[in-house]
Amino acid sequence: MNNRGEGEQFNWIFVIVSGAIILGFFIMFTFKYVELQEKRQDVDTVRFFGGKVLSASSKLQVGSGGASVDSNEQEGLRFGYNVNLGYRCSGNESTILINDGGTAWYKLDDEVVFMDKSMKVNALDLWILPWSYPFFVTNFIYLGDPKTNYYLVYDSNNKVFVENLDITSAFKIEKLNKAQLKPKSNSKIIYFLDNIPLKQELNFKNLTNLDFVYVNLKKNEASFFNSQDKEWSDPIKFYINENNKGQLFGAVFSNDAGTFSCNIQRSLKKLKSVSNIYSKRAELLGQLDRRAECHYSEISKTLNKLSSGDLNLVDAINSQNLAGAGCIWVF
């Protein structure tokens, strides 16, 4: 019998996990910050912010677009003071720094967070998206400054793809062709073009705080423009399929090649770990149900290859999992 009811269970699990992530994530932010400032209203601030987060998380709705919190909403995530946030990622460790991290920081465990390397904010827009490739691996968290405008710029060959990207309305997203682009200050411009823009094309006079990202959809690679060196970074490979564009969205909400690449590698390590678990599950199911049409042995072998780094097998694994009427799904 197929475990199709597991989808409903996943929705409930996702709601609980999403709320827990947001609650722990931002209460820790607030507590660390007020501790650093040594203000007398420490407890009141923590309680107030915790209440805001609880109220926001209770309204999260799960669907293909994940769950989001807009800072402009009544339950939005607002600090009430300016905070310098920084993001550092190295190896399998990543940390959010508060005021350069001299005293206050938040070390991430299982979360994969895509955000700018540094930003000064008094509020945050947030989006949580489950990353399934092809099975659920982890939640991606995207953080953005509410003042930032996001321009997704396409050419004729990439227009349909960009227009069909499903990004939450919690962020100020505008999709347009290159000729229509008239950015404002405090903007991030993500180019979906056949050719990478020339450096002189990135010179927008009288505008400040602009970030540029180039996405090559033919190769599934992203490059980031370094405003100091005035050069594009080396391309960074990301992985997407028809059902999940999570890593691609990571490029939209990042502005640094190193941290984006580190996040990609962290998520791939999690994918390999979960693949290994499902491979062992397939082996056990094969011992319980030896019908040839269930393909448990085949799925186990393919999952082992995926855990070893062969990421081209994702679609094949999904097809194997759905094959065999009356068989229990591996995932």
PDB file of all heavy atoms in Angstrom, residues 44-70:
ATOM      1  N   ASP A  44      11.700  42.644  28.740  1.00  0.00           N
ATOM      2  CA  ASP A  44      10.526  43.152  28.030  1.00  0.00           C
ATOM      3  C   ASP A  44      10.717  43.034  26.516  1.00  0.00           C
ATOM      4  O   ASP A  44       9.779  42.679  25.791  1.00  0.00           O
ATOM      5  CB  ASP A  44      10.260  44.609  28.407  1.00  0.00           C
ATOM      6  CG  ASP A  44       9.742  44.754  29.833  1.00  0.00           C
ATOM      7  OD1 ASP A  44       9.241  43.734  30.367  1.00  0.00           O
ATOM      8  OD2 ASP A  44       9.850  45.851  30.399  1.00  0.00           O
ATOM      9  N   THR A  45      11.924  43.338  26.037  1.00  0.00           N
ATOM     10  CA  THR A  45      12.181  43.267  24.602  1.00  0.00           C
ATOM     11  C   THR A  45      12.090  41.836  24.112  1.00  0.00           C
ATOM     12  O   THR A  45      11.508  41.562  23.052  1.00  0.00           O
ATOM     13  CB  THR A  45      13.573  43.840  24.274  1.00  0.00           C
ATOM     14  OG1 THR A  45      13.657  45.163  24.771  1.00  0.00           O
ATOM     15  CG2 THR A  45      13.820  43.846  22.780  1.00  0.00           C
ATOM     16  N   VAL A  46      12.692  40.901  24.855  1.00  0.00           N
ATOM     17  CA  VAL A  46      12.636  39.495  24.465  1.00  0.00           C
ATOM     18  C   VAL A  46      11.198  39.000  24.436  1.00  0.00           C
ATOM     19  O   VAL A  46      10.765  38.338  23.493  1.00  0.00           O
ATOM     20  CB  VAL A  46      13.491  38.629  25.417  1.00  0.00           C
ATOM     21  CG1 VAL A  46      13.270  37.146  25.126  1.00  0.00           C
ATOM     22  CG2 VAL A  46      14.957  38.987  25.284  1.00  0.00           C
ATOM     23  N   ARG A  47      10.432  39.346  25.475  1.00  0.00           N
ATOM     24  CA  ARG A  47       9.030  38.913  25.513  1.00  0.00           C
ATOM     25  C   ARG A  47       8.224  39.508  24.364  1.00  0.00           C
ATOM     26  O   ARG A  47       7.418  38.824  23.732  1.00  0.00           O
ATOM     27  CB  ARG A  47       8.413  39.313  26.846  1.00  0.00           C
ATOM     28  CG  ARG A  47       8.916  38.490  28.034  1.00  0.00           C
ATOM     29  CD  ARG A  47       8.341  39.012  29.325  1.00  0.00           C
ATOM     30  NE  ARG A  47       8.761  38.188  30.461  1.00  0.00           N
ATOM     31  CZ  ARG A  47       8.531  38.501  31.724  1.00  0.00           C
ATOM     32  NH1 ARG A  47       7.871  39.609  32.026  1.00  0.00           N
ATOM     33  NH2 ARG A  47       8.940  37.705  32.684  1.00  0.00           N
ATOM     34  N   PHE A  48       8.446  40.801  24.107  1.00  0.00           N
ATOM     35  CA  PHE A  48       7.721  41.470  23.031  1.00  0.00           C
ATOM     36  C   PHE A  48       8.040  40.824  21.686  1.00  0.00           C
ATOM     37  O   PHE A  48       7.143  40.488  20.913  1.00  0.00           O
ATOM     38  CB  PHE A  48       8.093  42.951  22.991  1.00  0.00           C
ATOM     39  CG  PHE A  48       7.580  43.668  21.769  1.00  0.00           C
ATOM     40  CD1 PHE A  48       6.262  44.084  21.689  1.00  0.00           C
ATOM     41  CD2 PHE A  48       8.422  43.930  20.698  1.00  0.00           C
ATOM     42  CE1 PHE A  48       5.800  44.736  20.568  1.00  0.00           C
ATOM     43  CE2 PHE A  48       7.957  44.577  19.574  1.00  0.00           C
ATOM     44  CZ  PHE A  48       6.648  44.989  19.509  1.00  0.00           C
ATOM     45  N   PHE A  49       9.337  40.632  21.439  1.00  0.00           N
ATOM     46  CA  PHE A  49       9.726  40.082  20.139  1.00  0.00           C
ATOM     47  C   PHE A  49       9.307  38.629  20.006  1.00  0.00           C
ATOM     48  O   PHE A  49       8.880  38.185  18.942  1.00  0.00           O
ATOM     49  CB  PHE A  49      11.235  40.217  19.947  1.00  0.00           C
ATOM     50  CG  PHE A  49      11.663  40.011  18.528  1.00  0.00           C
ATOM     51  CD1 PHE A  49      11.410  40.984  17.574  1.00  0.00           C
ATOM     52  CD2 PHE A  49      12.298  38.846  18.134  1.00  0.00           C
ATOM     53  CE1 PHE A  49      11.803  40.806  16.268  1.00  0.00           C
ATOM     54  CE2 PHE A  49      12.679  38.661  16.823  1.00  0.00           C
ATOM     55  CZ  PHE A  49      12.434  39.627  15.887  1.00  0.00           C
ATOM     56  N   GLY A  50       9.437  37.886  21.101  1.00  0.00           N
ATOM     57  CA  GLY A  50       8.980  36.509  21.069  1.00  0.00           C
ATOM     58  C   GLY A  50       7.496  36.417  20.765  1.00  0.00           C
ATOM     59  O   GLY A  50       7.049  35.549  20.027  1.00  0.00           O
ATOM     60  N   GLY A  51       6.715  37.351  21.346  1.00  0.00           N
ATOM     61  CA  GLY A  51       5.291  37.374  21.064  1.00  0.00           C
ATOM     62  C   GLY A  51       4.998  37.660  19.612  1.00  0.00           C
ATOM     63  O   GLY A  51       4.113  37.073  19.005  1.00  0.00           O
ATOM     64  N   LYS A  52       5.772  38.590  19.042  1.00  0.00           N
ATOM     65  CA  LYS A  52       5.602  38.906  17.622  1.00  0.00           C
ATOM     66  C   LYS A  52       5.891  37.690  16.758  1.00  0.00           C
ATOM     67  O   LYS A  52       5.180  37.383  15.808  1.00  0.00           O
ATOM     68  CB  LYS A  52       6.544  40.051  17.230  1.00  0.00           C
ATOM     69  CG  LYS A  52       6.094  41.428  17.692  1.00  0.00           C
ATOM     70  CD  LYS A  52       4.918  41.930  16.862  1.00  0.00           C
ATOM     71  CE  LYS A  52       4.580  43.369  17.191  1.00  0.00           C
ATOM     72  NZ  LYS A  52       3.460  43.865  16.376  1.00  0.00           N
ATOM     73  N   VAL A  53       6.978  37.008  17.078  1.00  0.00           N
ATOM     74  CA  VAL A  53       7.370  35.846  16.279  1.00  0.00           C
ATOM     75  C   VAL A  53       6.339  34.737  16.407  1.00  0.00           C
ATOM     76  O   VAL A  53       5.957  34.099  15.429  1.00  0.00           O
ATOM     77  CB  VAL A  53       8.764  35.349  16.718  1.00  0.00           C
ATOM     78  CG1 VAL A  53       9.133  34.064  16.001  1.00  0.00           C
ATOM     79  CG2 VAL A  53       9.805  36.415  16.437  1.00  0.00           C
ATOM     80  N   LEU A  54       5.871  34.490  17.635  1.00  0.00           N
ATOM     81  CA  LEU A  54       4.855  33.457  17.831  1.00  0.00           C
ATOM     82  C   LEU A  54       3.601  33.764  17.032  1.00  0.00           C
ATOM     83  O   LEU A  54       3.002  32.892  16.413  1.00  0.00           O
ATOM     84  CB  LEU A  54       4.517  33.334  19.313  1.00  0.00           C
ATOM     85  CG  LEU A  54       5.502  32.550  20.178  1.00  0.00           C
ATOM     86  CD1 LEU A  54       5.133  32.696  21.638  1.00  0.00           C
ATOM     87  CD2 LEU A  54       5.510  31.087  19.771  1.00  0.00           C
ATOM     88  N   SER A  55       3.196  35.028  17.043  1.00  0.00           N
ATOM     89  CA  SER A  55       2.003  35.428  16.305  1.00  0.00           C
ATOM     90  C   SER A  55       2.196  35.222  14.814  1.00  0.00           C
ATOM     91  O   SER A  55       1.301  34.757  14.115  1.00  0.00           O
ATOM     92  CB  SER A  55       1.682  36.896  16.588  1.00  0.00           C
ATOM     93  OG  SER A  55       0.581  37.328  15.828  1.00  0.00           O
ATOM     94  N   ALA A  56       3.384  35.569  14.311  1.00  0.00           N
ATOM     95  CA  ALA A  56       3.662  35.422  12.885  1.00  0.00           C
ATOM     96  C   ALA A  56       3.712  33.953  12.495  1.00  0.00           C
ATOM     97  O   ALA A  56       3.133  33.535  11.496  1.00  0.00           O
ATOM     98  CB  ALA A  56       4.977  36.110  12.529  1.00  0.00           C
ATOM     99  N   SER A  57       4.396  33.145  13.283  1.00  0.00           N
ATOM    100  CA  SER A  57       4.565  31.736  12.925  1.00  0.00           C
ATOM    101  C   SER A  57       3.241  30.986  12.947  1.00  0.00           C
ATOM    102  O   SER A  57       3.058  30.022  12.208  1.00  0.00           O
ATOM    103  CB  SER A  57       5.558  31.069  13.873  1.00  0.00           C
ATOM    104  OG  SER A  57       5.083  31.089  15.200  1.00  0.00           O
ATOM    105  N   SER A  58       2.305  31.417  13.775  1.00  0.00           N
ATOM    106  CA  SER A  58       1.023  30.729  13.847  1.00  0.00           C
ATOM    107  C   SER A  58       0.200  30.936  12.590  1.00  0.00           C
ATOM    108  O   SER A  58      -0.738  30.190  12.324  1.00  0.00           O
ATOM    109  CB  SER A  58       0.237  31.231  15.057  1.00  0.00           C
ATOM    110  OG  SER A  58      -0.137  32.594  14.895  1.00  0.00           O
ATOM    111  N   LYS A  59       0.555  31.946  11.772  1.00  0.00           N
ATOM    112  CA  LYS A  59      -0.210  32.233  10.571  1.00  0.00           C
ATOM    113  C   LYS A  59       0.447  31.690   9.305  1.00  0.00           C
ATOM    114  O   LYS A  59      -0.014  31.938   8.208  1.00  0.00           O
ATOM    115  CB  LYS A  59      -0.398  33.741  10.420  1.00  0.00           C
ATOM    116  CG  LYS A  59      -1.316  34.334  11.483  1.00  0.00           C
ATOM    117  CD  LYS A  59      -1.719  35.751  11.131  1.00  0.00           C
ATOM    118  CE  LYS A  59      -2.765  36.264  12.103  1.00  0.00           C
ATOM    119  NZ  LYS A  59      -3.244  37.603  11.740  1.00  0.00           N
ATOM    120  N   LEU A  60       1.568  30.965   9.459  1.00  0.00           N
ATOM    121  CA  LEU A  60       2.244  30.429   8.288  1.00  0.00           C
ATOM    122  C   LEU A  60       1.353  29.427   7.577  1.00  0.00           C
ATOM    123  O   LEU A  60       0.729  28.580   8.188  1.00  0.00           O
ATOM    124  CB  LEU A  60       3.554  29.747   8.697  1.00  0.00           C
ATOM    125  CG  LEU A  60       4.636  30.659   9.277  1.00  0.00           C
ATOM    126  CD1 LEU A  60       5.864  29.833   9.634  1.00  0.00           C
ATOM    127  CD2 LEU A  60       5.000  31.760   8.297  1.00  0.00           C
ATOM    128  N   GLN A  61       1.308  29.540   6.268  1.00  0.00           N
ATOM    129  CA  GLN A  61       0.540  28.616   5.456  1.00  0.00           C
ATOM    130  C   GLN A  61       1.499  27.811   4.584  1.00  0.00           C
ATOM    131  O   GLN A  61       2.358  28.370   3.914  1.00  0.00           O
ATOM    132  CB  GLN A  61      -0.447  29.382   4.558  1.00  0.00           C
ATOM    133  CG  GLN A  61      -1.482  30.174   5.344  1.00  0.00           C
ATOM    134  CD  GLN A  61      -2.406  29.281   6.131  1.00  0.00           C
ATOM    135  OE1 GLN A  61      -2.816  28.222   5.656  1.00  0.00           O
ATOM    136  NE2 GLN A  61      -2.739  29.691   7.347  1.00  0.00           N
ATOM    137  N   VAL A  62       1.353  26.501   4.596  1.00  0.00           N
ATOM    138  CA  VAL A  62       2.258  25.630   3.863  1.00  0.00           C
ATOM    139  C   VAL A  62       1.686  25.331   2.487  1.00  0.00           C
ATOM    140  O   VAL A  62       0.515  25.027   2.341  1.00  0.00           O
ATOM    141  CB  VAL A  62       2.487  24.315   4.627  1.00  0.00           C
ATOM    142  CG1 VAL A  62       3.398  23.400   3.847  1.00  0.00           C
ATOM    143  CG2 VAL A  62       3.082  24.619   5.986  1.00  0.00           C
ATOM    144  N   GLY A  63       2.523  25.389   1.484  1.00  0.00           N
ATOM    145  CA  GLY A  63       2.139  25.050   0.130  1.00  0.00           C
ATOM    146  C   GLY A  63       3.397  24.894  -0.688  1.00  0.00           C
ATOM    147  O   GLY A  63       4.503  24.811  -0.156  1.00  0.00           O
ATOM    148  N   SER A  64       3.247  24.844  -2.002  1.00  0.00           N
ATOM    149  CA  SER A  64       4.413  24.692  -2.858  1.00  0.00           C
ATOM    150  C   SER A  64       5.364  25.867  -2.718  1.00  0.00           C
ATOM    151  O   SER A  64       6.554  25.741  -2.994  1.00  0.00           O
ATOM    152  CB  SER A  64       3.961  24.567  -4.322  1.00  0.00           C
ATOM    153  OG  SER A  64       3.257  25.735  -4.732  1.00  0.00           O
ATOM    154  N   GLY A  65       4.832  27.027  -2.285  1.00  0.00           N
ATOM    155  CA  GLY A  65       5.677  28.206  -2.124  1.00  0.00           C
ATOM    156  C   GLY A  65       6.264  28.345  -0.737  1.00  0.00           C
ATOM    157  O   GLY A  65       6.869  29.361  -0.418  1.00  0.00           O
ATOM    158  N   GLY A  66       6.108  27.340   0.125  1.00  0.00           N
ATOM    159  CA  GLY A  66       6.680  27.391   1.460  1.00  0.00           C
ATOM    160  C   GLY A  66       5.891  28.301   2.377  1.00  0.00           C
ATOM    161  O   GLY A  66       4.668  28.393   2.294  1.00  0.00           O
ATOM    162  N   ALA A  67       6.598  29.008   3.262  1.00  0.00           N
ATOM    163  CA  ALA A  67       5.961  29.897   4.228  1.00  0.00           C
ATOM    164  C   ALA A  67       6.785  31.169   4.333  1.00  0.00           C
ATOM    165  O   ALA A  67       8.007  31.135   4.269  1.00  0.00           O
ATOM    166  CB  ALA A  67       5.857  29.209   5.585  1.00  0.00           C
ATOM    167  N   SER A  68       6.124  32.316   4.500  1.00  0.00           N
ATOM    168  CA  SER A  68       6.852  33.584   4.508  1.00  0.00           C
ATOM    169  C   SER A  68       6.265  34.540   5.532  1.00  0.00           C
ATOM    170  O   SER A  68       5.113  34.407   5.948  1.00  0.00           O
ATOM    171  CB  SER A  68       6.819  34.240   3.117  1.00  0.00           C
ATOM    172  OG  SER A  68       5.496  34.536   2.723  1.00  0.00           O
ATOM    173  N   VAL A  69       7.087  35.510   5.926  1.00  0.00           N
ATOM    174  CA  VAL A  69       6.665  36.569   6.835  1.00  0.00           C
ATOM    175  C   VAL A  69       7.124  37.895   6.254  1.00  0.00           C
ATOM    176  O   VAL A  69       8.322  38.102   6.039  1.00  0.00           O
ATOM    177  CB  VAL A  69       7.264  36.383   8.244  1.00  0.00           C
ATOM    178  CG1 VAL A  69       6.856  37.538   9.151  1.00  0.00           C
ATOM    179  CG2 VAL A  69       6.824  35.061   8.851  1.00  0.00           C
ATOM    180  N   ASP A  70       6.199  38.781   5.975  1.00  0.00           N
ATOM    181  CA  ASP A  70       6.485  40.106   5.444  1.00  0.00           C
ATOM    182  C   ASP A  70       6.626  41.075   6.610  1.00  0.00           C
ATOM    183  O   ASP A  70       5.749  41.161   7.470  1.00  0.00           O
ATOM    184  CB  ASP A  70       5.342  40.543   4.520  1.00  0.00           C
ATOM    185  CG  ASP A  70       5.616  41.859   3.806  1.00  0.00           C
ATOM    186  OD1 ASP A  70       6.450  42.637   4.291  1.00  0.00           O
ATOM    187  OD2 ASP A  70       4.984  42.096   2.769  1.00  0.00           O
TER     188      ASP A  70
END
